Amino acid sequence: MAQWTSAMGSTQLARLLASQQSRPSGTGTRRPPAYRALADGIRLLVLEGRVPVAARLPAERELAVALAVSRTTVAAAYEALRTEGFLESRRGAGSWTAVPAGNPLPARGLEPLPPEALGSMIDLGCAALPAPEPWLTRSVQGALEALPPYAHTHGDYPAGLPALREMLAERYTARGIPTMPEQIMVTTGAMGAIDAICHLFAGRGERIAVESPSYANILQLMREAGARLVPVAMAEGLTGWDMDRWRQVLRDAAPRLAYVVADFHNPTGALADEDKRRQLVDAARSAGTVLVADETMSELELDTDLEPPRPVCGFDPAGSTVITVGSASKAFWAGMRIGWVRAAPDVIRSLVAARAYADLGTPVLEQLAVNWLLNTGGWQAAVDLRRDQARENRDALVAAVRRELPDWEFEVPRGGLTLWVRTGGLSGSRLAEVGERVGVRVPSGPRFGVDGAFEGYVRLPFTVGGAVADEAAVRLAAAARLVKTGAGAGAEVTHPFVA
């Protein structure tokens, strides 16, 4: 019986290998043999998660043709990978990727670092901050006080607690977007919301237009739902959205959905102005595309003189084009798994009906906690605290990276939680790999792209400050030196959290 669970075509694998920037050679270093370079490239793709574990690789002859190398080179590379534990083979079943014993499976998204590793590893992988106390504790206490009447019911509220739906609708109305409770569904985080939307609107094989780069976990969610992702390149810097490109893609590809983060975009930090929002909605409406606007970062403006633009849904008065997704995870705490959808009532009814075959509903206690925050002013106090912390972290991280890595390039965003950094010609994937050896965990650019794009980037979140931000930059600089000299290539990657 074959042990592989997916297949990697020769053209696809060749494209992924070609996207890896060649490693700069240090003084006196020699280029590795062709088979070694190929083995290292495949190994890195596996460690990065861009080639899944248990993925069947192309036959030797097929890959040799795609790469324009000899079959002997491919055979030697496969043999090296088998020796190192990154490839398994069986006669008649082919060869498939693996990881050596003692190594964790490569993260497919941006999973949080295990708590036991926090003492030895600086985690820049997850863009999430600790809970803003005392507001978490107070909200849970308030939820417990409000719980008894709900405890006498079955506890399943597929659309969300009526009180929370009403409060969320009032918040949109206060922002100038008249909204009824019937236009709100409470979900298990923003991921739960987008998963439900994708299953309703974009069946397997449907096209979804996405910003390029975009949020890694959402891209992976869409891939696993069977969507065909259509990337739309972002403009340089913080200007964000190239509307000529968006109009062309929406017109030519006619995607069923389009997913955008117009508020402090993850990962670039860009903020779409009102004119771009209006044009984006108009283009989606003309193409018959449903536009999903992710607002999870919308309340995290960090510059005090910034006037936030109107929500994307404010340019869709009929409510037929834009579906808005919000969440408590970034503005409050990632452990508070409460998200929501704002859409036309008929869309909400369809989402709620489909929920009977998914998760049935969102935990009542957490909904009560968020409702308590919104009713008491605790939400705004917690968001203010979150902004102060993120602003201090941003400024500390920016100063540290500029000091330790002066050739790295970035623009400082005015809000959000992420810094998108061009790494001076170094491979982001190799920096991520070597970074774990020197005690800093950072996601590489290709996680945020489609088909291996953004190899020359990393994303740095505003999750550490002060002396920790300084040390993170020092460790990143050490990783960069190893990558530059080639000392980080071909070496075994060790993980401090693995016994």
Side-chain angles (χ1 to χ4, degrees):
M1 177 181 176
Q3 300 300 306
W4 50 273
T5 58
S6 62
M8 177 68 58
S10 59
T11 301
Q12 183 182 10
L13 181 56
R15 184 169 61 248
L16 289 172
L17 288 165
S19 74
Q20 297 174 331
Q21 293 185 352
S22 60
R23 185 175 67 256
S25 298
T27 303
T29 60
R30 293 180 300 174
R31 292 179 61 87
Y35 86 89
R36 183 68 260 174
L38 176 56
D40 285 348
I42 295 174
R43 169 180 162 278
L44 182 61
L45 290 172
V46 173
L47 287 170
E48 175 62 18
R50 293 157 66 195
V51 171
V53 173
R56 185 183 183 185
L57 296 187
E60 295 171 1
R61 188 185 304 278
E62 183 183 351
L63 184 58
V65 171
L67 296 175
V69 299
S70 70
R71 182 178 177 181
T72 301
T73 296
V74 177
Y78 278 14
E79 181 58 32
L81 290 168
R82 276 190 288 269
T83 301
E84 295 163 5
F86 286 93
L87 196 68
E88 296 180 9
S89 303
R90 180 177 298 166
R91 186 177 297 276
S95 299
W96 57 92
T97 55
V99 290
N103 280 267
L105 291 176
R108 302 187 71 187
L110 299 177
E111 291 82 357
L113 193 68
E116 62 268 23
L118 294 178
S120 58
M121 182 79 72
I122 297 176
D123 185 13
L124 297 180
C126 188
L129 289 162
E133 290 288 24
W135 299 108
L136 174 62
T137 298
R138 291 181 182 177
S139 68
V140 173
Q141 291 170 342
L144 288 171
E145 293 175 2
L147 181 62
Y150 297 93
H152 294 293
T153 73
H154 49 63
D156 287 335
Y157 295 87
L161 294 184
L164 181 55
R165 296 177 72 196
E166 184 174 350
M167 178 55 62
L168 292 169
E170 289 177 5
R171 280 173 56 82
Y172 279 105
T173 300
R175 294 168 67 190
I177 316 296
T179 303
M180 304 178 293
E182 292 79 10
Q183 292 177 260
I184 301 292
M185 181 177 82
V186 181
T187 62
T188 308
M191 292 287 287
I194 294 170
D195 182 58
I197 293 166
C198 288
H199 279 88
L200 179 63
F201 285 95
R204 187 165 294 276
E206 292 276 6
R207 295 184 180 93
I208 301 179
V210 295
E211 298 144 330
S212 183
S214 187
Y215 179 37
N217 287 341
I218 293 296
L219 295 180
Q220 187 61 35
L221 181 155
M222 291 174 175
R223 291 186 188 103
E224 293 190 356
R228 297 165 60 190
L229 301 184
V230 183
V232 186
M234 296 283 283
E236 285 293 320
L238 299 178
T239 56
W241 293 260
D242 184 324
M243 291 315 306
D244 288 338
R245 289 174 178 169
W246 270 102
R247 278 188 286 268
Q248 179 180 358
V249 167
L250 293 178
R251 180 182 63 248
D252 295 347
R256 187 70 182 91
L257 287 178
Y259 170 77
V260 298
V261 185
D263 299 281
F264 310 119
H265 176 261
N266 187 354
T268 68
L271 176 66
D273 60 28
E274 292 201 356
D275 185 55
K276 283 188 172 64
R277 294 169 189 238
R278 180 183 296 104
Q279 291 185 57
L280 191 57
V281 173
D282 289 346
R285 183 183 297 115
S286 297
T289 298
V290 176
L291 183 63
V292 181
D294 187 335
E295 288 190 337
T296 55
M297 296 280 192
S298 64
E299 296 189 64
L300 291 176
E301 65 266 18
L302 304 184
D303 290 351
T304 55
D305 62 339
L306 180 62
E307 184 67 30
R310 280 191 294 166
V312 174
C313 60
F315 301 94
D316 180 35
S320 58
T321 299
V322 178
I323 297 177
T324 302
V325 172
S327 172
S329 64
K330 302 300 184 184
F332 187 72
W333 184 47
M336 187 71 77
R337 303 305 304 155
I338 297 295
W340 53 86
V341 177
R342 181 201 179 273
D346 62 317
V347 172
I348 295 297
R349 286 192 294 270
S350 296
L351 289 170
V352 171
R355 201 168 193 182
Y357 310 101
D359 62 356
L360 294 178
T362 304
V364 169
L365 191 64
E366 292 184 25
Q367 292 187 72
L368 290 172
V370 171
N371 193 55
W372 182 92
L373 288 165
L374 295 174
N375 269 298
T376 61
W379 178 272
Q380 190 58 53
V383 169
D384 290 342
L385 185 63
R386 171 68 75 236
R387 288 173 181 158
D388 290 343
Q389 185 179 13
R391 185 184 305 112
E392 291 177 6
N393 287 357
R394 177 195 66 180
D395 296 345
L397 187 63
V398 164
V401 173
R402 281 177 171 165
R403 181 179 63 252
E404 301 293 335
L405 294 150
D407 57 335
W408 286 19
E409 302 173 33
F410 54 85
E411 290 191 44
V412 181
R414 306 193 69 187
L417 289 173
T418 58
L419 197 67
W420 186 237
V421 181
R422 184 183 283 114
T423 57
L426 300 181
S427 163
S429 296
R430 296 190 186 278
L431 282 166
E433 179 187 358
V434 177
E436 294 211 18
R437 295 173 52 207
V438 299
V440 60
R441 183 174 185 257
V442 58
S444 65
R447 290 187 179 276
F448 304 89
V450 177
D451 289 335
F454 307 109
E455 185 59 60
Y457 289 81
V458 294
R459 188 194 74 171
L460 305 180
F462 312 144
T463 53
V464 297
V468 181
D470 292 339
E471 179 62 21
V474 168
R475 296 184 187 186
L476 283 171
R481 287 192 295 271
L482 289 172
V483 172
K484 282 182 179 179
T485 62
E492 181 181 356
V493 178
T494 59
H495 301 264
F497 53 87
V498 177

